[in-house]
Amino acid sequence: MNDILLGCIADDFTGATDLANNLVRAGMRVVQTAGVPTAPLDTAADAVVVSLKSRTIPAAQAAAQSVQALRWLQTQGVRQIYFKYCSTFDSTAQGNIGPVTDALMDALGCDFTIATPAFPDVGRTVFKGYLFVGDVLLHESGMQDHPLTPMTDPSLVRVLQAQTRHRVGLVDYTVVAQGPEAIRARIAKLRSDGIGIAIVDAVSNADLMRLGPALADFPLVTAGSGVAIALPANFGIAPNPRASALPVVRGSRAVISGSCSRATNAQVAEFIATGRPALALDPMSLCAGDEAIEHALDWARPKLGDAPILVYSTAAPESLRQVQDQLGVARAGELVERALARVACGLVQAGVGQLVVAGGETSGAVVQALGITQLQIGAQIDPGVPWCAGKSALADATLHVALKSGNFGTPDFFTKAFDRIA
Ligand code: ADP
């Protein structure tokens, strides 16, 4: 059996990649799985990240799926469980961070854990239990208007207390600043006072590194992806280049872009400006049938090679709105995701072995259509986006993919990614 040390459960797919990326940078070999695996892992790993889609589903389902993931991780002999959620603590008054934490604590028989979304590298800091996004409090960051998980209270103690039956306490930064011994002492005190979950302050990576050793004996850690930088050391693992080693790359290069985020629009514009081949998929043409998909593949096949090609539906806000007004948001999204996934499959069948996908939902659709269930995590291209390698029945050899959620990456990402893997 694999000697897996850390078992992680992430509440969405690109969040799972973000966590895996931090663990690799801290020296662990990591495999990310889409859902709870039904087969043994393809490759050796120090950590496994099981990605669920449980952030906004009913709390009882999220808890049940998370416990199912936990049971599988336990069969792999993991020594510690990490429940990973968003660094903006995305949740509603019903959950799902509290209910999933409660269910995992019950299943593990543990009476204490921590919770901290702090991730200073991307501007998420926790001070006196209040979450900051950049320079502003959570509820002033735009997250108060989120369509599914509006965050209107920056006090993590209050937010979590509304979702959990455990009492919630705080390890504040004055304690964290004193180091692991002081943190352990504070935790012991909270425990004896009947606290079950402690929010932990962290305003810098140094704070996270002080917190790490105090968590060595915890059966369960709950956090954003920030805390991951400090856990591998507890297992005697230090940053090393072997952690990000992937199988040899092969095949031609392509980019599929279904994200309409600002950063992705800039990346598409930059790619086109370099004079490389790019084809726009018109969502309205997809209503008529599969002709547009076939046309895209016929256009792409003769161009495939070392120089990347791009097929995109990426659009500026105004034209996106027009399409959504005509087709409805959900139908437009489904049509485009399905089409881009079909194009991705056709490109892989035509010999693409290195594929960049832009868009969180788009990435999910592409990975699912390719039948990829396990991804080995490689080196970071830009913060939060690593190259990954996986197996697809549509490819003869290992397929390399980079899954970029909308707002990640510099404007030259679509060409830089291939330079990095070369
Ligand atoms: P991001 O990570 O930027 O949020 P996603 O892939 O998660 O990107 O979401 C983008 C959504 O927009 C997808 O459902 C995609 O199918 C849809 N979409 C992409 N392009 C268009 C378009 N031109 N018109 C309408 N919907 C689109």
Side-chain angles (χ1 to χ4, degrees):
M1 197 210 289
N2 260 325
D3 189 15
I4 298 169
L5 305 170
L6 186 65
C8 311
I9 303 164
D11 67 355
D12 89 334
F13 194 87
T14 41
T17 310
D18 179 18
L19 170 62
N21 183 53
N22 277 351
L23 291 170
V24 168
R25 289 196 304 145
M28 283 184 154
R29 298 164 303 162
V30 183
V31 171
Q32 175 179 345
T33 70
V36 180
T38 51
L41 294 185
D42 297 333
T43 47
D46 304 307
V48 176
V49 184
V50 176
S51 58
L52 303 176
K53 211 172 184 302
S54 56
R55 186 169 295 166
T56 54
I57 62 176
Q61 281 177 34
Q65 288 181 16
S66 303
V67 170
Q68 195 198 350
L70 166 70
R71 294 302 180 210
W72 181 84
L73 290 166
Q74 287 175 318
T75 65
Q76 305 299 302
V78 300
R79 298 197 216 152
Q80 187 169 53
I81 297 291
Y82 190 128
F83 168 40
K84 192 270 171 190
Y85 36 76
C86 191
S87 62
T88 38
F89 218 67
D90 297 17
S91 53
T92 67
Q94 288 73 46
N96 288 336
I97 295 173
V100 169
T101 302
D102 288 349
L104 292 174
M105 289 174 78
D106 288 348
L108 285 161
C110 77
D111 65 357
F112 191 88
T113 188
I114 61 131
T116 181
F119 190 5
D121 279 350
V122 293
R124 273 53 153 173
T125 54
V126 183
F127 179 73
K128 298 272 178 193
Y130 287 79
L131 176 57
F132 286 80
V133 178
D135 296 330
V136 299
L137 283 161
L138 175 64
H139 69 303
E140 301 166 351
S141 69
M143 279 302 296
Q144 70 274 25
D145 300 320
H146 191 281
L148 302 176
T149 51
M151 302 301 292
T152 55
D153 185 352
S155 162
L156 296 176
V157 173
R158 273 196 306 259
V159 170
L160 187 55
Q161 190 63 79
Q163 302 175 21
T164 171
R165 58 181 160 70
H166 290 94
R167 281 182 58 206
V168 180
L170 174 67
V171 179
D172 87 359
Y173 88 104
T174 58
V175 174
V176 175
Q178 293 170 54
E181 273 316 309
I183 297 170
R184 279 193 201 99
R186 173 73 180 157
I187 284 173
K189 172 76 170 65
L190 290 173
R191 253 173 129 145
S192 69
D193 290 346
I195 299 293
I197 308 175
I199 302 293
V200 183
D201 279 358
V203 296
S204 64
N205 282 350
D207 284 340
L208 294 175
M209 297 312 279
R210 284 187 274 270
L211 171 62
L215 304 175
D217 300 332
F218 274 47
L220 174 69
V221 171
T222 89
S225 59
V227 171
I229 65 171
L231 294 187
N234 290 340
F235 300 97
I237 292 177
N240 69 85
R242 288 182 311 280
S244 60
L246 294 181
V248 178
V249 286
R250 50 158 288 282
S252 42
R253 298 169 163 177
V255 183
I256 296 280
S257 180
S259 157
C260 296
S261 300
R262 198 179 293 175
T264 310
N265 268 289
Q267 288 153 356
V268 168
E270 167 97 6
F271 187 92
I272 293 169
T274 63
R276 291 183 165 81
L279 180 80
L281 267 191
D282 170 17
M284 298 312 293
S285 73
L286 297 170
C287 302
D290 289 348
E291 234 167 76
I293 298 170
E294 293 308 326
H295 169 72
L297 288 170
D298 290 341
W299 170 86
R301 280 189 201 99
K303 299 181 180 61
L304 294 177
D306 272 352
I309 60 124
L310 165 67
V311 178
Y312 66 100
S313 66
T314 303
E318 184 49 36
S319 58
L320 173 64
R321 237 187 326 273
Q322 278 177 13
V323 171
Q324 288 177 331
D325 286 348
Q326 292 183 64
L327 298 177
V329 174
R331 178 156 152 73
E334 274 164 35
L335 265 178
V336 173
E337 280 170 36
R338 177 180 164 278
L340 291 176
R342 293 272 303 273
V343 171
C345 290
L347 291 176
V348 168
Q349 283 170 315
V352 167
Q354 304 164 51
L355 183 66
V356 170
V357 187
E361 293 300 323
T362 308
S363 294
V366 167
V367 165
Q368 193 174 26
L370 288 168
I372 297 175
T373 56
Q374 297 181 21
L375 285 170
Q376 192 185 341
I377 309 298
Q380 169 172 296
I381 306 161
D382 266 334
V385 201
W387 272 108
C388 312
K391 293 203 171 111
S392 161
L394 301 181
D396 313 332
T398 303
L399 186 63
H400 287 73
V401 293
L403 309 170
K404 187 194 82 72
S405 70
N407 269 320
F408 283 8
T410 53
D412 61 348
F413 187 88
F414 291 164
T415 46
K416 176 170 76 178
F418 297 104
D419 297 339
R420 287 286 156 83
I421 203 173

